[in-house]
Amino acid sequence: MLTITRDLFDQIVAHARADHPDEACGVVAGPEGSGRPERFIPMLNAARSPTFYEFDSADLLKLYRELDDNDEEPVIIYHSHTATEAYPSRTDISYANEPGAHYVLVSTADTDDAGPFQFRSFRIVDGEITEEEVKVVEAY
C-alpha cells in the first residue's frame, strides 16, 4: 500500500494538470529505507510529448547525486497519461528500474466517468505489475 499525504497527492495531480496536454513526470523522495514519500521533485518531460515521457539525462544524474547526498531514495516515481487510463504501458514497464519504488500514474483523461483524473499506484518488479491501494493521510 502507498501511504501519501494530501499535500503530496495534490502536488502530483496539480503537476499532471499543469503539464497537460503533455505527460508530466517526477519523483517523490524519502529517507533511505523508510518507504515514506516526503519531498516532491517535479521533473521536466524532456520528450515534451502527450504520449510519452522521458527524464532529461542531466536532470536525472543531478537528482540521483542529490538523493545520495541527502541519504534519500525515490519512493514514488510518477507520470501522467493524457489520453488513456492510469495503467502502465509496455514502455512504462520497460523503464521501471526501481524495484522498491511506487509507480504512480495520474490520468488527466476522463476514461472512467469517475471524474477529471485517476490516481493509481503500482509496484513493477521484473516486468510484473501489481496494483496497490493508495491511502491519503493529512500527515504522517
Side-chain angles (χ1 to χ4, degrees), residues 46 55-62:
F55 291 119
D56 177 88
S57 57
D59 288 348
L60 199 55
L61 180 59
K62 180 181 170 202

Side-chain angles (χ1 to χ4, degrees), residues 2-47:
L2 169 62
T3 301
I4 185 171
T5 63
R6 168 64 57 195
D7 183 54
L8 288 170
F9 178 95
D10 290 346
Q11 287 181 80
I12 291 170
V13 171
H15 184 204
R17 287 179 170 157
D19 281 13
H20 187 88
D22 289 340
E23 289 192 4
C25 57
V27 172
V28 182
E32 200 166 312
S34 73
R36 192 173 65 226
E38 293 184 352
R39 188 166 63 95
F40 177 69
I41 309 163
M43 304 283 284
L44 173 69
N45 178 355

Side-chain angles (χ1 to χ4, degrees), residues 26-30 32-33 53 55 60-61 63-65 67-68 72-78 91-104 121-130 132:
V27 172
V28 182
E32 200 166 312
Y53 83 98
F55 291 119
L60 199 55
L61 180 59
L63 170 67
Y64 273 91
R65 285 183 175 155
L67 293 176
D68 192 45
E72 293 176 312
E73 63 187 357
V75 177
I76 295 172
I77 299 171
Y78 74 87
T91 303
D92 298 339
I93 296 164
S94 71
Y95 281 7
N97 60 1
E98 289 286 347
H102 302 271
Y103 286 88
V104 166
S121 183
F122 303 88
R123 293 293 189 145
I124 305 174
V125 180
D126 296 328
E128 292 291 319
I129 304 165
T130 306
E132 61 185 349

